[in-house]
Amino acid sequence: MTRKIDKPIAIILMTMLLDAMGVGIMIPVLPDLLVSVLPGSTIAEATLWGGILATIFAVMQFLFSPLLGVASDQYGRKPVLMIALSVMVIYYLIMAVAQTMWLLILGRILGGMSAATHATASAYMADISEPHEKAARFGLLGAAFGIGFVLGPVIGGLLGEWGPRAPFYAAAIIAAINTLCCWIWLPESVTDAIRQKFTWTRANPLGAFVTISKFDGLGRLILVLGLFLIGVSVYAAIWPFFTVERFDWSPGMIGVSLTLYGVCFAVIQGTFVKPAIHYFGERRVVVLGFIAEIFALLVVTLIPYGWLMLAFTPMAALGVIAQPPLQAIMSKAVGDQNQGTLQGVIASLNAIAMIITPISMSWLFYRFTTPDAPFYFPSAPFLVSALLVAIALALFTRSQRKKDR
């Protein structure tokens, strides 16, 4: 790595951290914020609106990730990032001052659009990385996301002591500083040699999926990554409800476990990916990560004690080591000209997981914990998730065997 890309990498990592932090910063203050906007409402009603706002965010991220990725293929990563980060500042300010639900909805629409910077940031990282560096660099992006996952709720909770709107003002300031740093220090990574003309066929989610699927083996890998993301998203979707039901954990204990998971997530992605690939190779690391994730989900399904669950948390995070090398394999397959399109598709897959998993796994949890359940089994979502990752593993190994023939 040369010195001249140190600052760009730092700015891209900060952008990824802000993406993750933007999702988590509102979690501790969301109930108070919604109750303040909906006078006389109950917590149950506020929870319903919270789910609606989360879905809106994920849907907008799904729709706009390919668009921003494809736009950056033609117009450059820097202008797209700066526009998206500027929109992020507006989003945080709207959330800070909103006094009506409609304004909060507008804010979440803009927030989902700006969160699509994930695609452009990943494409930038791919641009400035040699093929053998991509997996490790994507691991750094994952580490930044993990740190943001930890910092978001912590900052939201601390600043929330000054009121439910204080965290959003702080986030707006941080996003504005990041935008300024991007303008001053981030060089453009798209050259005329790799520039691709913008087309609406590639810019819409379905068109982007079709475009990427035309590359040899990429259609199956998209399915593999999608199943994996839906499976591992069960932690964010079900964890608070599951641990209360199963172990009677307090909110503080839930917070400790999520923080521990986020720290382990960041450490694994930031420090373990590169040496693992060096010793085992990208394909084997993907397989090992999938196996670790299946094992972790099965253990969560069967583990009997809360203290043992907390001790097992680092193992539960180990499976995320599979995503950076899988993303690197996909990045190499599409060439330099389609990095924005590919990263848009990957970001859309994350958004799809954020839409599908909370709805499906919450229903499954409800179905097996109600008095009229066929049998009591609160761990059902984790067992189904293990099955999804197992299917992903089978599809991946089969696709790699075909490629080697």
Side-chain angles (χ1 to χ4, degrees):
M1 183 189 307
T2 58
R3 299 280 303 173
K4 65 179 180 180
I5 64 172
D6 288 347
K7 281 183 180 177
I9 288 177
I11 294 170
I12 293 300
L13 293 179
M14 179 59 69
T15 300
M16 192 64 68
L17 185 148
L18 283 174
D19 279 355
M21 197 175 73
V23 176
I25 198 169
M26 68 185 298
I27 292 175
V29 298
L30 186 58
D32 289 343
L33 179 66
L34 289 174
V35 169
S36 71
V37 172
L38 299 167
S41 63
T42 64
I43 288 294
E45 292 168 337
T47 302
L48 176 62
W49 276 106
I52 293 172
L53 291 177
T55 301
I56 289 172
F57 188 96
V59 169
M60 297 307 295
Q61 188 176 14
F62 167 73
L63 293 175
F64 278 82
S65 291
L67 190 150
L68 292 188
V70 173
S72 73
D73 279 339
Q74 174 170 350
Y75 303 110
R77 316 297 184 206
K78 181 173 180 175
V80 171
L81 278 173
M82 288 190 61
I83 292 171
L85 288 170
S86 299
V87 172
M88 188 182 290
V89 175
I90 297 172
Y91 154 61
Y92 285 131
L93 290 176
I94 288 176
M95 299 298 289
V97 303
Q99 299 294 331
T100 66
M101 181 54 62
W102 295 113
L103 201 52
L104 284 181
I105 290 174
L106 174 61
R108 290 302 272 175
I109 289 173
L110 293 176
M113 293 165 58
S114 63
T117 53
H118 194 140
T120 308
S122 297
Y124 188 102
M125 192 68 85
D127 291 340
I128 63 174
S129 303
E130 297 297 330
H132 67 277
E133 296 176 320
K134 288 186 176 183
R137 295 276 176 84
F138 288 141
L140 290 177
L141 290 177
F145 184 90
I147 294 171
F149 178 82
V150 174
L151 290 181
V154 171
I155 293 174
L158 291 175
L159 295 180
E161 297 296 321
W162 282 274
R165 301 175 188 277
F168 297 105
Y169 284 114
I173 293 172
I174 295 172
I177 293 172
N178 195 36
T179 306
L180 183 62
C181 291
C182 178
W183 177 53
I184 296 174
W185 288 303
L186 192 71
E188 181 53 61
S189 64
V190 174
T191 63
D192 290 339
I194 65 173
R195 197 178 304 276
Q196 281 276 74
K197 186 176 180 181
F198 179 93
T199 64
W200 284 106
T201 301
R202 295 189 302 126
N204 73 83
L206 295 180
F209 276 84
V210 170
T211 298
I212 294 301
S213 297
K214 290 179 180 178
F215 290 89
D216 185 31
L218 261 293
R220 190 184 293 267
L221 291 182
I222 288 172
L223 180 58
V224 168
L225 182 57
L227 289 172
F228 177 74
L229 291 173
I230 292 172
V232 298
S233 294
V234 70
Y235 295 106
I238 297 298
W239 191 257
F241 309 100
F242 170 74
T243 51
V244 169
E245 176 70 23
R246 189 76 175 83
F247 307 118
D248 196 28
W249 277 4
S250 66
M253 183 60 71
I254 294 171
V256 168
S257 67
L258 288 174
T259 300
L260 181 59
Y261 181 87
V263 170
C264 293
F265 183 105
V267 170
I268 289 168
Q269 294 250 348
T271 62
F272 286 2
V273 171
K274 186 174 181 178
I277 291 173
H278 175 74
Y279 285 109
F280 300 109
E282 290 175 346
R283 296 185 193 181
R284 288 191 180 92
V285 172
V286 174
V287 171
L288 291 173
F290 281 8
I291 292 173
E293 191 60 55
I294 294 167
F295 176 75
L297 289 166
L298 291 176
V299 169
V300 171
T301 301
L302 301 172
I303 208 162
Y305 305 113
W307 66 266
L308 193 57
M309 177 66 76
L310 193 64
F312 181 73
T313 299
M315 180 62 193
L318 185 59
V320 300
I321 200 172
Q323 188 171 345
L326 178 57
Q327 197 171 339
I329 292 171
M330 297 171 73
S331 177
K332 294 173 187 176
V334 301
D336 294 336
Q337 293 83 1
N338 293 281
Q339 291 302 317
T341 307
L342 172 64
Q343 301 307 328
V345 167
I346 292 174
S348 288
L349 287 175
N350 277 284
I352 290 172
M354 290 171 63
I355 296 169
I356 292 177
T357 306
I359 294 173
S360 60
M361 296 305 177
S362 295
W363 176 85
L364 199 59
F365 179 82
Y366 171 81
R367 187 69 185 88
F368 284 93
T369 54
T370 55
D372 60 342
F375 54 91
Y376 181 74
F377 189 43
S379 304
F382 295 94
L383 183 60
V384 171
S385 295
L387 177 61
L388 291 175
V389 179
I391 294 172
L393 173 61
L395 290 173
F396 178 76
T397 53
R398 184 177 178 182
S399 69
Q400 296 306 299
R401 286 197 198 103
K402 284 185 176 182
K403 190 172 181 180
D404 291 335
R405 288 175 186 171

PDB file of all heavy atoms in Angstrom, residues 5-18 81 85 121 178-187:
ATOM      1  N   ILE A   5      -2.637   6.622  -0.815  1.00  0.00           N
ATOM      2  CA  ILE A   5      -4.020   6.176  -0.676  1.00  0.00           C
ATOM      3  C   ILE A   5      -4.420   6.029   0.792  1.00  0.00           C
ATOM      4  O   ILE A   5      -5.508   5.572   1.089  1.00  0.00           O
ATOM      5  CB  ILE A   5      -4.273   4.863  -1.429  1.00  0.00           C
ATOM      6  CG1 ILE A   5      -3.454   3.716  -0.827  1.00  0.00           C
ATOM      7  CG2 ILE A   5      -4.013   5.004  -2.898  1.00  0.00           C
ATOM      8  CD1 ILE A   5      -3.812   2.356  -1.397  1.00  0.00           C
ATOM      9  N   ASP A   6      -3.569   6.413   1.721  1.00  0.00           N
ATOM     10  CA  ASP A   6      -3.914   6.302   3.127  1.00  0.00           C
ATOM     11  C   ASP A   6      -5.131   7.156   3.481  1.00  0.00           C
ATOM     12  O   ASP A   6      -6.060   6.694   4.122  1.00  0.00           O
ATOM     13  CB  ASP A   6      -2.729   6.687   4.000  1.00  0.00           C
ATOM     14  CG  ASP A   6      -1.628   5.630   3.981  1.00  0.00           C
ATOM     15  OD1 ASP A   6      -1.894   4.510   3.502  1.00  0.00           O
ATOM     16  OD2 ASP A   6      -0.537   5.943   4.434  1.00  0.00           O
ATOM     17  N   LYS A   7      -5.111   8.432   3.071  1.00  0.00           N
ATOM     18  CA  LYS A   7      -6.234   9.321   3.378  1.00  0.00           C
ATOM     19  C   LYS A   7      -7.517   8.882   2.684  1.00  0.00           C
ATOM     20  O   LYS A   7      -8.586   8.868   3.311  1.00  0.00           O
ATOM     21  CB  LYS A   7      -5.882  10.772   3.020  1.00  0.00           C
ATOM     22  CG  LYS A   7      -5.007  11.453   4.056  1.00  0.00           C
ATOM     23  CD  LYS A   7      -4.761  12.910   3.693  1.00  0.00           C
ATOM     24  CE  LYS A   7      -3.873  13.588   4.743  1.00  0.00           C
ATOM     25  NZ  LYS A   7      -3.553  14.992   4.372  1.00  0.00           N
ATOM     26  N   PRO A   8      -7.486   8.550   1.399  1.00  0.00           N
ATOM     27  CA  PRO A   8      -8.714   8.064   0.766  1.00  0.00           C
ATOM     28  C   PRO A   8      -9.315   6.859   1.472  1.00  0.00           C
ATOM     29  O   PRO A   8     -10.531   6.794   1.655  1.00  0.00           O
ATOM     30  CB  PRO A   8      -8.252   7.714  -0.650  1.00  0.00           C
ATOM     31  CG  PRO A   8      -7.120   8.637  -0.905  1.00  0.00           C
ATOM     32  CD  PRO A   8      -6.418   8.771   0.410  1.00  0.00           C
ATOM     33  N   ILE A   9      -8.461   5.918   1.862  1.00  0.00           N
ATOM     34  CA  ILE A   9      -8.985   4.748   2.564  1.00  0.00           C
ATOM     35  C   ILE A   9      -9.634   5.158   3.881  1.00  0.00           C
ATOM     36  O   ILE A   9     -10.718   4.674   4.233  1.00  0.00           O
ATOM     37  CB  ILE A   9      -7.861   3.717   2.800  1.00  0.00           C
ATOM     38  CG1 ILE A   9      -7.467   3.051   1.483  1.00  0.00           C
ATOM     39  CG2 ILE A   9      -8.306   2.652   3.803  1.00  0.00           C
ATOM     40  CD1 ILE A   9      -6.321   2.081   1.604  1.00  0.00           C
ATOM     41  N   ALA A  10      -8.998   6.067   4.601  1.00  0.00           N
ATOM     42  CA  ALA A  10      -9.555   6.537   5.877  1.00  0.00           C
ATOM     43  C   ALA A  10     -10.916   7.200   5.665  1.00  0.00           C
ATOM     44  O   ALA A  10     -11.857   6.985   6.445  1.00  0.00           O
ATOM     45  CB  ALA A  10      -8.585   7.512   6.540  1.00  0.00           C
ATOM     46  N   ILE A  11     -11.049   8.000   4.607  1.00  0.00           N
ATOM     47  CA  ILE A  11     -12.313   8.684   4.334  1.00  0.00           C
ATOM     48  C   ILE A  11     -13.392   7.671   3.958  1.00  0.00           C
ATOM     49  O   ILE A  11     -14.544   7.775   4.407  1.00  0.00           O
ATOM     50  CB  ILE A  11     -12.127   9.733   3.216  1.00  0.00           C
ATOM     51  CG1 ILE A  11     -11.206  10.853   3.711  1.00  0.00           C
ATOM     52  CG2 ILE A  11     -13.470  10.307   2.778  1.00  0.00           C
ATOM     53  CD1 ILE A  11     -10.774  11.806   2.625  1.00  0.00           C
ATOM     54  N   ILE A  12     -13.045   6.678   3.145  1.00  0.00           N
ATOM     55  CA  ILE A  12     -14.009   5.653   2.755  1.00  0.00           C
ATOM     56  C   ILE A  12     -14.451   4.842   3.969  1.00  0.00           C
ATOM     57  O   ILE A  12     -15.639   4.519   4.125  1.00  0.00           O
ATOM     58  CB  ILE A  12     -13.406   4.734   1.671  1.00  0.00           C
ATOM     59  CG1 ILE A  12     -13.200   5.516   0.372  1.00  0.00           C
ATOM     60  CG2 ILE A  12     -14.307   3.530   1.423  1.00  0.00           C
ATOM     61  CD1 ILE A  12     -14.476   6.095  -0.214  1.00  0.00           C
ATOM     62  N   LEU A  13     -13.516   4.513   4.843  1.00  0.00           N
ATOM     63  CA  LEU A  13     -13.877   3.773   6.053  1.00  0.00           C
ATOM     64  C   LEU A  13     -14.781   4.606   6.956  1.00  0.00           C
ATOM     65  O   LEU A  13     -15.724   4.075   7.558  1.00  0.00           O
ATOM     66  CB  LEU A  13     -12.605   3.362   6.809  1.00  0.00           C
ATOM     67  CG  LEU A  13     -11.706   2.338   6.108  1.00  0.00           C
ATOM     68  CD1 LEU A  13     -10.469   2.047   6.955  1.00  0.00           C
ATOM     69  CD2 LEU A  13     -12.459   1.052   5.818  1.00  0.00           C
ATOM     70  N   MET A  14     -14.511   5.907   7.040  1.00  0.00           N
ATOM     71  CA  MET A  14     -15.368   6.775   7.826  1.00  0.00           C
ATOM     72  C   MET A  14     -16.781   6.833   7.234  1.00  0.00           C
ATOM     73  O   MET A  14     -17.775   6.844   7.962  1.00  0.00           O
ATOM     74  CB  MET A  14     -14.773   8.184   7.901  1.00  0.00           C
ATOM     75  CG  MET A  14     -15.628   9.188   8.684  1.00  0.00           C
ATOM     76  SD  MET A  14     -15.938   8.694  10.403  1.00  0.00           S
ATOM     77  CE  MET A  14     -14.286   8.887  11.090  1.00  0.00           C
ATOM     78  N   THR A  15     -16.866   6.836   5.919  1.00  0.00           N
ATOM     79  CA  THR A  15     -18.172   6.836   5.267  1.00  0.00           C
ATOM     80  C   THR A  15     -18.950   5.573   5.611  1.00  0.00           C
ATOM     81  O   THR A  15     -20.155   5.617   5.900  1.00  0.00           O
ATOM     82  CB  THR A  15     -17.998   6.942   3.738  1.00  0.00           C
ATOM     83  OG1 THR A  15     -17.308   8.156   3.434  1.00  0.00           O
ATOM     84  CG2 THR A  15     -19.339   6.938   3.025  1.00  0.00           C
ATOM     85  N   MET A  16     -18.270   4.437   5.570  1.00  0.00           N
ATOM     86  CA  MET A  16     -18.925   3.178   5.913  1.00  0.00           C
ATOM     87  C   MET A  16     -19.353   3.164   7.374  1.00  0.00           C
ATOM     88  O   MET A  16     -20.442   2.678   7.718  1.00  0.00           O
ATOM     89  CB  MET A  16     -17.968   2.021   5.642  1.00  0.00           C
ATOM     90  CG  MET A  16     -18.620   0.652   5.685  1.00  0.00           C
ATOM     91  SD  MET A  16     -19.866   0.413   4.410  1.00  0.00           S
ATOM     92  CE  MET A  16     -18.828   0.400   2.946  1.00  0.00           C
ATOM     93  N   LEU A  17     -18.501   3.692   8.239  1.00  0.00           N
ATOM     94  CA  LEU A  17     -18.835   3.765   9.661  1.00  0.00           C
ATOM     95  C   LEU A  17     -20.083   4.613   9.874  1.00  0.00           C
ATOM     96  O   LEU A  17     -20.973   4.254  10.660  1.00  0.00           O
ATOM     97  CB  LEU A  17     -17.644   4.341  10.438  1.00  0.00           C
ATOM     98  CG  LEU A  17     -17.751   4.384  11.964  1.00  0.00           C
ATOM     99  CD1 LEU A  17     -16.369   4.192  12.585  1.00  0.00           C
ATOM    100  CD2 LEU A  17     -18.339   5.712  12.453  1.00  0.00           C
ATOM    101  N   LEU A  18     -20.174   5.734   9.154  1.00  0.00           N
ATOM    102  CA  LEU A  18     -21.350   6.602   9.273  1.00  0.00           C
ATOM    103  C   LEU A  18     -22.608   5.909   8.796  1.00  0.00           C
ATOM    104  O   LEU A  18     -23.686   6.096   9.364  1.00  0.00           O
ATOM    105  CB  LEU A  18     -21.132   7.895   8.487  1.00  0.00           C
ATOM    106  CG  LEU A  18     -20.236   8.942   9.131  1.00  0.00           C
ATOM    107  CD1 LEU A  18     -19.999  10.096   8.161  1.00  0.00           C
ATOM    108  CD2 LEU A  18     -20.859   9.466  10.417  1.00  0.00           C
ATOM    109  N   LEU A  81     -20.434  10.296  -3.972  1.00  0.00           N
ATOM    110  CA  LEU A  81     -20.272  10.236  -2.518  1.00  0.00           C
ATOM    111  C   LEU A  81     -20.587  11.571  -1.862  1.00  0.00           C
ATOM    112  O   LEU A  81     -21.266  11.624  -0.829  1.00  0.00           O
ATOM    113  CB  LEU A  81     -18.846   9.807  -2.161  1.00  0.00           C
ATOM    114  CG  LEU A  81     -18.537   8.313  -2.200  1.00  0.00           C
ATOM    115  CD1 LEU A  81     -17.048   8.078  -1.981  1.00  0.00           C
ATOM    116  CD2 LEU A  81     -19.344   7.569  -1.145  1.00  0.00           C
ATOM    117  N   LEU A  85     -23.470  12.087   0.837  1.00  0.00           N
ATOM    118  CA  LEU A  85     -23.127  12.530   2.192  1.00  0.00           C
ATOM    119  C   LEU A  85     -23.824  13.834   2.541  1.00  0.00           C
ATOM    120  O   LEU A  85     -24.229  14.049   3.691  1.00  0.00           O
ATOM    121  CB  LEU A  85     -21.609  12.683   2.320  1.00  0.00           C
ATOM    122  CG  LEU A  85     -20.809  11.375   2.355  1.00  0.00           C
ATOM    123  CD1 LEU A  85     -19.316  11.656   2.227  1.00  0.00           C
ATOM    124  CD2 LEU A  85     -21.095  10.597   3.639  1.00  0.00           C
ATOM    125  N   ALA A 121     -18.906   3.517  -1.930  1.00  0.00           N
ATOM    126  CA  ALA A 121     -17.697   3.388  -1.112  1.00  0.00           C
ATOM    127  C   ALA A 121     -16.998   2.059  -1.390  1.00  0.00           C
ATOM    128  O   ALA A 121     -15.765   1.995  -1.505  1.00  0.00           O
ATOM    129  CB  ALA A 121     -18.055   3.497   0.372  1.00  0.00           C
ATOM    130  N   ASN A 178     -17.280  14.830   7.388  1.00  0.00           N
ATOM    131  CA  ASN A 178     -16.869  13.796   6.447  1.00  0.00           C
ATOM    132  C   ASN A 178     -17.031  14.255   4.997  1.00  0.00           C
ATOM    133  O   ASN A 178     -16.201  13.951   4.138  1.00  0.00           O
ATOM    134  CB  ASN A 178     -17.673  12.513   6.685  1.00  0.00           C
ATOM    135  CG  ASN A 178     -17.059  11.310   5.996  1.00  0.00           C
ATOM    136  OD1 ASN A 178     -15.843  11.187   5.925  1.00  0.00           O
ATOM    137  ND2 ASN A 178     -17.885  10.422   5.494  1.00  0.00           N
ATOM    138  N   THR A 179     -18.098  14.985   4.718  1.00  0.00           N
ATOM    139  CA  THR A 179     -18.305  15.535   3.383  1.00  0.00           C
ATOM    140  C   THR A 179     -17.177  16.489   3.007  1.00  0.00           C
ATOM    141  O   THR A 179     -16.659  16.456   1.884  1.00  0.00           O
ATOM    142  CB  THR A 179     -19.657  16.278   3.306  1.00  0.00           C
ATOM    143  OG1 THR A 179     -20.705  15.402   3.733  1.00  0.00           O
ATOM    144  CG2 THR A 179     -19.946  16.740   1.882  1.00  0.00           C
ATOM    145  N   LEU A 180     -16.794  17.337   3.954  1.00  0.00           N
ATOM    146  CA  LEU A 180     -15.698  18.279   3.721  1.00  0.00           C
ATOM    147  C   LEU A 180     -14.384  17.541   3.469  1.00  0.00           C
ATOM    148  O   LEU A 180     -13.620  17.896   2.559  1.00  0.00           O
ATOM    149  CB  LEU A 180     -15.563  19.216   4.925  1.00  0.00           C
ATOM    150  CG  LEU A 180     -14.500  20.323   4.828  1.00  0.00           C
ATOM    151  CD1 LEU A 180     -14.819  21.269   3.667  1.00  0.00           C
ATOM    152  CD2 LEU A 180     -14.406  21.104   6.145  1.00  0.00           C
ATOM    153  N   CYS A 181     -14.121  16.487   4.261  1.00  0.00           N
ATOM    154  CA  CYS A 181     -12.898  15.700   4.069  1.00  0.00           C
ATOM    155  C   CYS A 181     -12.892  15.025   2.701  1.00  0.00           C
ATOM    156  O   CYS A 181     -11.854  14.948   2.033  1.00  0.00           O
ATOM    157  CB  CYS A 181     -12.778  14.649   5.170  1.00  0.00           C
ATOM    158  SG  CYS A 181     -12.455  15.333   6.814  1.00  0.00           S
ATOM    159  N   CYS A 182     -14.051  14.550   2.291  1.00  0.00           N
ATOM    160  CA  CYS A 182     -14.174  13.926   0.972  1.00  0.00           C
ATOM    161  C   CYS A 182     -13.838  14.934  -0.126  1.00  0.00           C
ATOM    162  O   CYS A 182     -13.121  14.621  -1.086  1.00  0.00           O
ATOM    163  CB  CYS A 182     -15.593  13.385   0.799  1.00  0.00           C
ATOM    164  SG  CYS A 182     -15.934  12.646  -0.798  1.00  0.00           S
ATOM    165  N   TRP A 183     -14.332  16.143   0.000  1.00  0.00           N
ATOM    166  CA  TRP A 183     -14.100  17.196  -0.997  1.00  0.00           C
ATOM    167  C   TRP A 183     -12.615  17.578  -1.074  1.00  0.00           C
ATOM    168  O   TRP A 183     -12.056  17.776  -2.157  1.00  0.00           O
ATOM    169  CB  TRP A 183     -14.953  18.416  -0.657  1.00  0.00           C
ATOM    170  CG  TRP A 183     -14.747  19.569  -1.576  1.00  0.00           C
ATOM    171  CD1 TRP A 183     -14.823  19.565  -2.943  1.00  0.00           C
ATOM    172  CD2 TRP A 183     -14.433  20.914  -1.207  1.00  0.00           C
ATOM    173  NE1 TRP A 183     -14.582  20.815  -3.445  1.00  0.00           N
ATOM    174  CE2 TRP A 183     -14.332  21.678  -2.404  1.00  0.00           C
ATOM    175  CE3 TRP A 183     -14.233  21.571   0.007  1.00  0.00           C
ATOM    176  CZ2 TRP A 183     -14.041  23.030  -2.400  1.00  0.00           C
ATOM    177  CZ3 TRP A 183     -13.950  22.925   0.011  1.00  0.00           C
ATOM    178  CH2 TRP A 183     -13.847  23.642  -1.186  1.00  0.00           C
ATOM    179  N   ILE A 184     -11.953  17.644   0.088  1.00  0.00           N
ATOM    180  CA  ILE A 184     -10.569  18.119   0.131  1.00  0.00           C
ATOM    181  C   ILE A 184      -9.578  17.008  -0.229  1.00  0.00           C
ATOM    182  O   ILE A 184      -8.645  17.234  -1.007  1.00  0.00           O
ATOM    183  CB  ILE A 184     -10.242  18.683   1.529  1.00  0.00           C
ATOM    184  CG1 ILE A 184     -11.102  19.922   1.819  1.00  0.00           C
ATOM    185  CG2 ILE A 184      -8.754  19.046   1.628  1.00  0.00           C
ATOM    186  CD1 ILE A 184     -10.951  20.451   3.240  1.00  0.00           C
ATOM    187  N   TRP A 185      -9.753  15.824   0.331  1.00  0.00           N
ATOM    188  CA  TRP A 185      -8.687  14.812   0.280  1.00  0.00           C
ATOM    189  C   TRP A 185      -8.989  13.572  -0.567  1.00  0.00           C
ATOM    190  O   TRP A 185      -8.102  12.747  -0.747  1.00  0.00           O
ATOM    191  CB  TRP A 185      -8.347  14.350   1.697  1.00  0.00           C
ATOM    192  CG  TRP A 185      -7.601  15.383   2.487  1.00  0.00           C
ATOM    193  CD1 TRP A 185      -6.424  15.985   2.157  1.00  0.00           C
ATOM    194  CD2 TRP A 185      -7.980  15.942   3.752  1.00  0.00           C
ATOM    195  NE1 TRP A 185      -6.040  16.871   3.125  1.00  0.00           N
ATOM    196  CE2 TRP A 185      -6.985  16.875   4.129  1.00  0.00           C
ATOM    197  CE3 TRP A 185      -9.057  15.743   4.608  1.00  0.00           C
ATOM    198  CZ2 TRP A 185      -7.044  17.594   5.310  1.00  0.00           C
ATOM    199  CZ3 TRP A 185      -9.123  16.468   5.782  1.00  0.00           C
ATOM    200  CH2 TRP A 185      -8.124  17.377   6.126  1.00  0.00           C
ATOM    201  N   LEU A 186     -10.190  13.425  -1.065  1.00  0.00           N
ATOM    202  CA  LEU A 186     -10.513  12.189  -1.780  1.00  0.00           C
ATOM    203  C   LEU A 186     -10.293  12.365  -3.279  1.00  0.00           C
ATOM    204  O   LEU A 186     -11.049  13.077  -3.937  1.00  0.00           O
ATOM    205  CB  LEU A 186     -11.968  11.781  -1.518  1.00  0.00           C
ATOM    206  CG  LEU A 186     -12.338  10.364  -1.965  1.00  0.00           C
ATOM    207  CD1 LEU A 186     -11.670   9.332  -1.059  1.00  0.00           C
ATOM    208  CD2 LEU A 186     -13.845  10.173  -1.959  1.00  0.00           C
ATOM    209  N   PRO A 187      -9.270  11.735  -3.856  1.00  0.00           N
ATOM    210  CA  PRO A 187      -9.066  11.825  -5.302  1.00  0.00           C
ATOM    211  C   PRO A 187     -10.048  10.914  -6.031  1.00  0.00           C
ATOM    212  O   PRO A 187     -10.525   9.921  -5.472  1.00  0.00           O
ATOM    213  CB  PRO A 187      -7.624  11.323  -5.478  1.00  0.00           C
ATOM    214  CG  PRO A 187      -7.412  10.400  -4.333  1.00  0.00           C
ATOM    215  CD  PRO A 187      -8.218  10.944  -3.189  1.00  0.00           C
TER     216      PRO A 187
END
